[in-house]
Amino acid sequence: MDLSCTPEEEQFRARLRQWLGDVLPTLPPKPSPDDWPARRVYDLGWQRLLYDAGYAGLHWPADAGGRGATPTQHLIFLEETERAGAPYVGAGFVGLLHAGPTIAAEGSAEQRARWLPPILRGEQVWCQGFSEPDAGSDLAALRTRAWRDGDDYVVSGSKIWTSHAEVADWCELLVRTDPSAPKHRGITWLAMPMDAPGITVRPLRTLAGSAEFAEVFLDEVRVPVANRVGEENDGWRVTMVTLSFERGTAFVGEVVACRRVLGELAREARKNGRWDDPLLRRRLGRLNAEFRALWRLTQWNVSEAEASGGVPGVGGSVFKLRYSHARQELYDAAACVLGDEALDLDRPWVLDRLSSLSYTIAAGTSQIQRDIVAERILGLPKGR
Amino acid sequence: MRFQLTKDQRALRDGVRQLLARRFDREALRTAVQRPGLDRALWRELGEVGFFALRLPETDGGVGLGLPEAVLAFEEAGRALLPGPLVATHLAAGTVPGAATGETVVAAVSGGLVEWLTEADVVVGDASGAVPLRSVDPLTPLHRVPAAAAPDPVAVLLTAAEQLGTATRACDLAVQHARVREQFGQPVGAFQAVKHLCAELLVRVEVARAAVYAAAVTADPADIAAARLLADEAAVRGARDCLQVHGGMGFTWESEVHLLLKRAWVRTRRAGADTESEELLAAELMA
């Protein structure tokens, strides 16, 4: 067991740190969270800077245009960028963490050449057309239909909870191509251009007041058969190739951020006098234990991935379960530190507290994650 | 970064596990509960394989290993629910003659309590005025002492390792029971309510494991305090949830589940109150 980095890893960290120190002061101010067009420009601008400096697609395999970095290097990258206050991957999230890796793993040479470079260069925003109004946690129950018409699929149905849909160029879309097959079969993965006729995007307002995601209505949208990644009716397997990433490394930067917030809360409590309350102090102390442990678990999972060839496994569900609840507890503690000010939307952490409510729902609810842990790790029987 | 067990560390863990499976299995645990008392032959056997001298330098007749290896050994002891002042004797190796070899049983004042006082050959700390209490754990005799001793960080960490082992056993037991116990025509583990209890058992174990192992690598006081809080939680909540999964059977003396919970409770007090760990971690936020 070793927590120290190799000289090469430390060198990588030092170079990255220096680059961040040089480039971050030159960035324009962050746009408001509601202004998606401005966020698109900002996030893609950051991606272009990463690309030019050789940091784009760090964890992507080299033959897909990435840097083929080790999981530890990726961990260092996420740790250092978050610590330095660098922009979040933002609008590039789906492209860089889902669609890109899926195309890299399952796409044809032509598809890889067509889509991967623009994602890495920060020229395309992708959104994820997976969830549907009647198929959220039960993703495979999706009903959006696609049927063949010559060289096209014709797609009708609707998607929901689609982040960045308003400003996306492409959508990684799951459609049902064989309604008579068992529900996990008969699904196909398509890359749908968001400017195709028949697509209507309606932003959805969240309880935090912002338009974070959208509903997408599809009325006989034509998608070329050439845009299909993997075989027809094999989309479920294609999707599972990359879903584990969402539950694995996706939260590294956020654990670092939570630890920073915890330190800020302690200083705020010292300033407003609530630090004198031993119950509050102990609560923050316990959260410190929690986020330290989550950081150690992250290092453990990354080391395990490194030893086993780089693919995060179902262990990500263990992490996601604990982390999503801890993050909510962090912002509840923030409300304790703030007192009456926790009711003021203009105070720091108040919007974060509202946003954190989605954490136990998004990317698979805690209940679904517990099923995954119990059935796939502990081997308990299926059933409800 | 290789934050995984090395080959040697896995071999050491497996060796201790096999020894304890042979010498202190479930039947031995039941027998010990019926006739409480320290098994001195087992104590010497532990001494022979280097359990107590694990961290003593080879030049002093020890094994010359470090905290990570000690943590792995104590995790196995916790999994086996091995009774006796294991931490106190381990810490006394090199200073108290005979402790390293298991010839001498050493107890120590920790917090306001002493475990195994009357069975011990040597007591570290001021045990004057010790008053026996009727211990909740049938396998840990306890005395209260007026002069409380500040906890040694290594004792805190090794105790956390024992808690981790017990939490692992609670998880294994619960899952095993949920797989075989049938109600309403199917294994109870197929019911989501039971399934989710088991999933949370594992989540607490995995989080505690990462914290305990990391603290063994860094020996940092804040890491140790964090490891202690999470391992206590994993062991105590784990044993309770394991009992719940067992239903009425779990509430009987006959089942071993209550022994897990009672030992976990005793260990939460071994290193003073958890408030001290929480305060240490709160102060660290200001550093």
Side-chain angles (χ1 to χ4, degrees), chain A residues 148-172:
Chain A
R148 284 286 279 272
D149 182 27
D151 290 337
D152 289 338
Y153 285 103
V154 181
V155 184
S156 281
S158 72
K159 297 288 173 177
I160 197 167
W161 320 126
T162 313
S163 305
H164 332 127
E166 289 169 82
V167 295
D169 306 290
W170 291 91
C171 177
E172 52 166 344

mmCIF file of all heavy atoms in Angstrom, chain A residues 148-172:
data_model
loop_
_atom_site.group_PDB
_atom_site.id
_atom_site.type_symbol
_atom_site.label_atom_id
_atom_site.label_comp_id
_atom_site.label_asym_id
_atom_site.label_seq_id
_atom_site.Cartn_x
_atom_site.Cartn_y
_atom_site.Cartn_z
ATOM 1 N N ARG A 148 -36.419 1.680 -39.960
ATOM 2 C CA ARG A 148 -35.592 1.912 -41.142
ATOM 3 C C ARG A 148 -36.433 2.434 -42.292
ATOM 4 O O ARG A 148 -37.510 1.945 -42.569
ATOM 5 C CB ARG A 148 -34.933 0.600 -41.575
ATOM 6 C CG ARG A 148 -33.769 0.180 -40.724
ATOM 7 C CD ARG A 148 -32.536 1.012 -40.967
ATOM 8 N NE ARG A 148 -31.794 0.587 -42.160
ATOM 9 C CZ ARG A 148 -30.844 -0.351 -42.144
ATOM 10 N NH1 ARG A 148 -30.512 -0.953 -41.032
ATOM 11 N NH2 ARG A 148 -30.201 -0.663 -43.248
ATOM 12 N N ASP A 149 -35.902 3.463 -43.003
ATOM 13 C CA ASP A 149 -36.502 3.928 -44.250
ATOM 14 C C ASP A 149 -35.343 4.257 -45.182
ATOM 15 O O ASP A 149 -34.747 5.328 -45.089
ATOM 16 C CB ASP A 149 -37.376 5.160 -43.989
ATOM 17 C CG ASP A 149 -38.058 5.634 -45.275
ATOM 18 O OD1 ASP A 149 -38.285 4.809 -46.181
ATOM 19 O OD2 ASP A 149 -38.339 6.845 -45.380
ATOM 20 N N GLY A 150 -34.968 3.299 -46.028
ATOM 21 C CA GLY A 150 -33.814 3.488 -46.910
ATOM 22 C C GLY A 150 -32.536 3.571 -46.099
ATOM 23 O O GLY A 150 -32.262 2.699 -45.283
ATOM 24 N N ASP A 151 -31.764 4.667 -46.293
ATOM 25 C CA ASP A 151 -30.498 4.824 -45.575
ATOM 26 C C ASP A 151 -30.674 5.568 -44.265
ATOM 27 O O ASP A 151 -29.679 5.956 -43.628
ATOM 28 C CB ASP A 151 -29.493 5.586 -46.457
ATOM 29 C CG ASP A 151 -29.031 4.724 -47.628
ATOM 30 O OD1 ASP A 151 -29.130 3.487 -47.513
ATOM 31 O OD2 ASP A 151 -28.613 5.297 -48.655
ATOM 32 N N ASP A 152 -31.912 5.798 -43.867
ATOM 33 C CA ASP A 152 -32.169 6.542 -42.624
ATOM 34 C C ASP A 152 -32.919 5.686 -41.612
ATOM 35 O O ASP A 152 -33.632 4.750 -41.974
ATOM 36 C CB ASP A 152 -33.048 7.772 -42.906
ATOM 37 C CG ASP A 152 -32.305 8.852 -43.673
ATOM 38 O OD1 ASP A 152 -31.056 8.867 -43.632
ATOM 39 O OD2 ASP A 152 -32.991 9.676 -44.324
ATOM 40 N N TYR A 153 -32.748 6.083 -40.330
ATOM 41 C CA TYR A 153 -33.712 5.687 -39.309
ATOM 42 C C TYR A 153 -34.667 6.860 -39.148
ATOM 43 O O TYR A 153 -34.245 8.014 -39.184
ATOM 44 C CB TYR A 153 -33.023 5.430 -37.960
ATOM 45 C CG TYR A 153 -32.264 4.137 -37.895
ATOM 46 C CD1 TYR A 153 -30.874 4.128 -38.003
ATOM 47 C CD2 TYR A 153 -32.930 2.930 -37.700
ATOM 48 C CE1 TYR A 153 -30.166 2.936 -37.925
ATOM 49 C CE2 TYR A 153 -32.230 1.736 -37.630
ATOM 50 C CZ TYR A 153 -30.851 1.741 -37.740
ATOM 51 O OH TYR A 153 -30.159 0.570 -37.664
ATOM 52 N N VAL A 154 -35.949 6.562 -38.951
ATOM 53 C CA VAL A 154 -36.921 7.611 -38.661
ATOM 54 C C VAL A 154 -37.308 7.460 -37.189
ATOM 55 O O VAL A 154 -37.728 6.383 -36.757
ATOM 56 C CB VAL A 154 -38.168 7.487 -39.565
ATOM 57 C CG1 VAL A 154 -39.149 8.611 -39.259
ATOM 58 C CG2 VAL A 154 -37.755 7.510 -41.027
ATOM 59 N N VAL A 155 -37.087 8.521 -36.407
ATOM 60 C CA VAL A 155 -37.195 8.442 -34.953
ATOM 61 C C VAL A 155 -38.353 9.285 -34.443
ATOM 62 O O VAL A 155 -38.483 10.461 -34.793
ATOM 63 C CB VAL A 155 -35.885 8.936 -34.285
ATOM 64 C CG1 VAL A 155 -35.962 8.759 -32.767
ATOM 65 C CG2 VAL A 155 -34.675 8.199 -34.847
ATOM 66 N N SER A 156 -39.192 8.690 -33.594
ATOM 67 C CA SER A 156 -40.272 9.436 -32.943
ATOM 68 C C SER A 156 -40.366 9.051 -31.473
ATOM 69 O O SER A 156 -40.252 7.870 -31.131
ATOM 70 C CB SER A 156 -41.616 9.151 -33.624
ATOM 71 O OG SER A 156 -41.728 9.892 -34.817
ATOM 72 N N GLY A 157 -40.572 10.038 -30.637
ATOM 73 C CA GLY A 157 -40.703 9.794 -29.198
ATOM 74 C C GLY A 157 -40.262 11.027 -28.434
ATOM 75 O O GLY A 157 -40.273 12.135 -28.984
ATOM 76 N N SER A 158 -39.881 10.840 -27.173
ATOM 77 C CA SER A 158 -39.392 11.996 -26.412
ATOM 78 C C SER A 158 -38.403 11.564 -25.352
ATOM 79 O O SER A 158 -38.424 10.429 -24.869
ATOM 80 C CB SER A 158 -40.558 12.749 -25.774
ATOM 81 O OG SER A 158 -41.096 12.002 -24.713
ATOM 82 N N LYS A 159 -37.509 12.492 -25.042
ATOM 83 C CA LYS A 159 -36.476 12.283 -24.026
ATOM 84 C C LYS A 159 -36.623 13.353 -22.959
ATOM 85 O O LYS A 159 -37.190 14.430 -23.199
ATOM 86 C CB LYS A 159 -35.091 12.359 -24.671
ATOM 87 C CG LYS A 159 -34.835 11.264 -25.711
ATOM 88 C CD LYS A 159 -34.645 9.912 -25.046
ATOM 89 C CE LYS A 159 -34.548 8.777 -26.058
ATOM 90 N NZ LYS A 159 -34.286 7.481 -25.391
ATOM 91 N N ILE A 160 -36.067 13.095 -21.789
ATOM 92 C CA ILE A 160 -36.202 14.070 -20.699
ATOM 93 C C ILE A 160 -34.939 14.074 -19.852
ATOM 94 O O ILE A 160 -34.151 13.127 -19.922
ATOM 95 C CB ILE A 160 -37.465 13.757 -19.859
ATOM 96 C CG1 ILE A 160 -37.857 14.968 -18.989
ATOM 97 C CG2 ILE A 160 -37.273 12.504 -19.011
ATOM 98 C CD1 ILE A 160 -39.251 14.859 -18.375
ATOM 99 N N TRP A 161 -34.770 15.132 -19.062
ATOM 100 C CA TRP A 161 -33.580 15.361 -18.211
ATOM 101 C C TRP A 161 -32.315 15.481 -19.069
ATOM 102 O O TRP A 161 -31.247 15.066 -18.679
ATOM 103 C CB TRP A 161 -33.360 14.247 -17.169
ATOM 104 C CG TRP A 161 -34.591 13.711 -16.512
ATOM 105 C CD1 TRP A 161 -34.964 12.409 -16.446
ATOM 106 C CD2 TRP A 161 -35.599 14.452 -15.825
ATOM 107 N NE1 TRP A 161 -36.147 12.284 -15.781
ATOM 108 C CE2 TRP A 161 -36.561 13.522 -15.382
ATOM 109 C CE3 TRP A 161 -35.802 15.800 -15.553
ATOM 110 C CZ2 TRP A 161 -37.709 13.899 -14.675
ATOM 111 C CZ3 TRP A 161 -36.928 16.184 -14.853
ATOM 112 C CH2 TRP A 161 -37.861 15.240 -14.427
ATOM 113 N N THR A 162 -32.485 16.042 -20.284
ATOM 114 C CA THR A 162 -31.366 16.116 -21.210
ATOM 115 C C THR A 162 -30.573 17.399 -20.956
ATOM 116 O O THR A 162 -30.972 18.479 -21.381
ATOM 117 C CB THR A 162 -31.887 16.082 -22.665
ATOM 118 O OG1 THR A 162 -32.850 15.026 -22.767
ATOM 119 C CG2 THR A 162 -30.753 15.845 -23.631
ATOM 120 N N SER A 163 -29.431 17.270 -20.269
ATOM 121 C CA SER A 163 -28.594 18.435 -19.977
ATOM 122 C C SER A 163 -27.981 18.986 -21.258
ATOM 123 O O SER A 163 -27.636 18.205 -22.151
ATOM 124 C CB SER A 163 -27.477 18.058 -18.991
ATOM 125 O OG SER A 163 -28.027 17.489 -17.835
ATOM 126 N N HIS A 164 -27.798 20.292 -21.324
ATOM 127 C CA HIS A 164 -27.165 21.020 -22.446
ATOM 128 C C HIS A 164 -27.901 20.859 -23.770
ATOM 129 O O HIS A 164 -27.345 21.182 -24.812
ATOM 130 C CB HIS A 164 -25.702 20.622 -22.709
ATOM 131 C CG HIS A 164 -24.931 20.123 -21.534
ATOM 132 N ND1 HIS A 164 -24.253 18.933 -21.535
ATOM 133 C CD2 HIS A 164 -24.719 20.662 -20.325
ATOM 134 C CE1 HIS A 164 -23.672 18.758 -20.369
ATOM 135 N NE2 HIS A 164 -23.942 19.793 -19.613
ATOM 136 N N ALA A 165 -29.141 20.353 -23.779
ATOM 137 C CA ALA A 165 -29.814 20.073 -25.054
ATOM 138 C C ALA A 165 -29.954 21.331 -25.913
ATOM 139 O O ALA A 165 -29.806 21.279 -27.134
ATOM 140 C CB ALA A 165 -31.195 19.466 -24.807
ATOM 141 N N GLU A 166 -30.206 22.476 -25.270
ATOM 142 C CA GLU A 166 -30.412 23.717 -26.025
ATOM 143 C C GLU A 166 -29.201 24.106 -26.862
ATOM 144 O O GLU A 166 -29.336 24.749 -27.894
ATOM 145 C CB GLU A 166 -30.615 24.888 -25.059
ATOM 146 C CG GLU A 166 -31.884 24.920 -24.308
ATOM 147 C CD GLU A 166 -31.767 25.976 -23.216
ATOM 148 O OE1 GLU A 166 -31.971 27.166 -23.514
ATOM 149 O OE2 GLU A 166 -31.434 25.596 -22.085
ATOM 150 N N VAL A 167 -28.008 23.762 -26.365
ATOM 151 C CA VAL A 167 -26.799 24.236 -27.037
ATOM 152 C C VAL A 167 -25.990 23.084 -27.621
ATOM 153 O O VAL A 167 -24.837 23.272 -28.005
ATOM 154 C CB VAL A 167 -25.903 25.055 -26.065
ATOM 155 C CG1 VAL A 167 -26.610 26.326 -25.631
ATOM 156 C CG2 VAL A 167 -25.484 24.223 -24.871
ATOM 157 N N ALA A 168 -26.603 21.897 -27.676
ATOM 158 C CA ALA A 168 -25.843 20.739 -28.145
ATOM 159 C C ALA A 168 -25.859 20.634 -29.674
ATOM 160 O O ALA A 168 -26.819 21.028 -30.325
ATOM 161 C CB ALA A 168 -26.414 19.458 -27.536
ATOM 162 N N ASP A 169 -24.766 20.103 -30.230
ATOM 163 C CA ASP A 169 -24.685 19.840 -31.666
ATOM 164 C C ASP A 169 -25.144 18.417 -31.970
ATOM 165 O O ASP A 169 -25.697 18.148 -33.021
ATOM 166 C CB ASP A 169 -23.230 19.976 -32.146
ATOM 167 C CG ASP A 169 -22.650 21.309 -31.759
ATOM 168 O OD1 ASP A 169 -23.064 22.321 -32.330
ATOM 169 O OD2 ASP A 169 -21.794 21.329 -30.843
ATOM 170 N N TRP A 170 -24.859 17.512 -31.040
ATOM 171 C CA TRP A 170 -25.152 16.106 -31.236
ATOM 172 C C TRP A 170 -25.804 15.519 -30.001
ATOM 173 O O TRP A 170 -25.600 16.018 -28.889
ATOM 174 C CB TRP A 170 -23.855 15.311 -31.520
ATOM 175 C CG TRP A 170 -23.251 15.634 -32.844
ATOM 176 C CD1 TRP A 170 -22.317 16.595 -33.100
ATOM 177 C CD2 TRP A 170 -23.559 15.026 -34.104
ATOM 178 N NE1 TRP A 170 -22.016 16.621 -34.435
ATOM 179 C CE2 TRP A 170 -22.763 15.654 -35.086
ATOM 180 C CE3 TRP A 170 -24.432 14.001 -34.500
ATOM 181 C CZ2 TRP A 170 -22.806 15.303 -36.430
ATOM 182 C CZ3 TRP A 170 -24.464 13.641 -35.840
ATOM 183 C CH2 TRP A 170 -23.659 14.287 -36.792
ATOM 184 N N CYS A 171 -26.553 14.464 -30.235
ATOM 185 C CA CYS A 171 -27.181 13.759 -29.118
ATOM 186 C C CYS A 171 -26.840 12.279 -29.234
ATOM 187 O O CYS A 171 -27.015 11.688 -30.308
ATOM 188 C CB CYS A 171 -28.695 13.956 -29.184
ATOM 189 S SG CYS A 171 -29.589 13.070 -27.895
ATOM 190 N N GLU A 172 -26.307 11.690 -28.141
ATOM 191 C CA GLU A 172 -26.140 10.229 -28.151
ATOM 192 C C GLU A 172 -27.495 9.675 -27.741
ATOM 193 O O GLU A 172 -27.943 9.842 -26.610
ATOM 194 C CB GLU A 172 -25.005 9.768 -27.221
ATOM 195 C CG GLU A 172 -25.046 10.271 -25.803
ATOM 196 C CD GLU A 172 -24.107 9.500 -24.874
ATOM 197 O OE1 GLU A 172 -23.655 8.408 -25.219
ATOM 198 O OE2 GLU A 172 -23.849 10.013 -23.764
#
